[in-house]
């Protein structure tokens, strides 16, 4: 984790995170999804106002090393929905997601959220299980006539009290 910084999102991150998102889908999930599924999921880096709104309106955390984006996660602090959880392909398996998640969950606990939920890809499901999430149901999301399997997952946050 040498040199890894976890920081809040800045508007200047939008293009870099869109590119990271596209690469994570196209390269990072290649062992779990075929080319048609990856294209339906994210055929190019998103540039729409909707993309910007999703990352700017959520509590978005960015991981960077040496000024280069390594990953990001977004959490809606009102609902507890974890929308994006992506790591650059070259950073996968190196603790970036763990570091981002530790901060996201900590912020959720401070906010008083009691439950988090997400729709996890086949790649992400083992990560979430490792962090105490449970499977609610398996599903297929359809995009452009292509079915993409994922899973609805949740985690109940229990209050932690300091020792007396």
């Amino acid at each position: 984790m040498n040199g890894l910084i976890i920081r809040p999102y800045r508007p200047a991150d939008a293009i870099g995170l869109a590119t990271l998102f596209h690469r994570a889908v196209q390269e990072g999930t290649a062992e779990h999804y075929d080319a048609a599924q990856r294209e339906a999921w994210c055929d190019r880096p998103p540039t729409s106002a909707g993309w910007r709104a999703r990352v700017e309106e959520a509590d978005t955390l960015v991981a960077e090393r040496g000024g280069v984006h390594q990953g990001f996660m977004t959490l809606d602090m009102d609902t507890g929905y974890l929308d994006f959880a992506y790591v650059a392909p070259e950073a996968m398996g190196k603790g970036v997601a763990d570091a981002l998640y530790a901060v996201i969950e900590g912020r959720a606990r401070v906010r008083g959220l009691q439950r988090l939920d997400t729709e996890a890809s086949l790649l992400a499901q083992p990560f979430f299980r490792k962090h105490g999430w449970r499977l609610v149901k398996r599903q297929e999301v359809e995009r452009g006539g292509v079915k993409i399997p994922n899973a609805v997952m949740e985690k109940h946050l229990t209050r932690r009290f300091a020792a007396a």
Side-chain angles (χ1 to χ4, degrees):
M1 298 299 286
N2 189 8
L4 187 71
I5 295 169
I6 306 297
R7 62 165 176 80
Y9 169 87
R10 297 187 289 246
D13 293 321
I15 293 171
L17 296 187
T19 301
L20 185 153
F21 169 63
H22 178 255
R23 289 186 58 233
V25 170
Q26 291 298 318
E27 300 168 37
T29 69
E31 290 183 23
H32 301 277
Y33 296 96
D34 65 32
Q37 290 170 321
R38 295 190 319 269
E39 284 295 305
W41 185 349
C42 181
D43 64 342
R44 63 184 172 276
T47 58
S48 70
W51 159 259
R52 282 188 181 267
R54 283 174 73 183
V55 295
E56 290 179 1
E57 292 172 5
D59 188 19
T60 299
L61 295 176
V62 176
E64 68 176 37
R65 181 178 286 117
V68 177
H69 293 128
Q70 301 293 301
F72 70 105
M73 285 188 185
T74 65
L75 184 66
D76 182 320
M77 285 295 182
D78 294 325
T79 66
Y81 184 69
L82 197 152
D83 190 7
F84 291 110
Y86 291 91
V87 172
E90 63 276 7
M92 289 180 175
K94 296 181 179 176
V96 173
D98 291 317
L100 281 164
Y101 181 73
V103 177
I104 283 276
E105 184 177 308
R107 291 171 74 114
R109 287 179 183 281
V110 167
R111 179 71 182 247
L113 294 176
Q114 296 180 7
R115 181 179 171 275
L116 304 178
D117 65 299
T118 194
E119 293 182 32
S121 70
L122 297 174
L123 174 64
Q125 289 171 41
F127 170 83
F128 284 109
R129 279 193 303 272
K130 177 179 91 170
H131 288 281
W133 290 61
R134 73 170 196 88
L135 175 69
V136 174
K137 69 175 181 173
R138 297 197 184 285
Q139 65 181 11
E140 289 184 328
V141 176
E142 190 170 324
R143 292 199 176 131
V146 177
K147 292 183 178 181
I148 305 168
N150 71 13
V152 175
M153 299 183 78
E154 69 177 3
K155 180 173 184 178
H156 291 277
L157 303 178
T158 57
R159 289 189 179 258
R160 294 186 179 162
F161 299 98

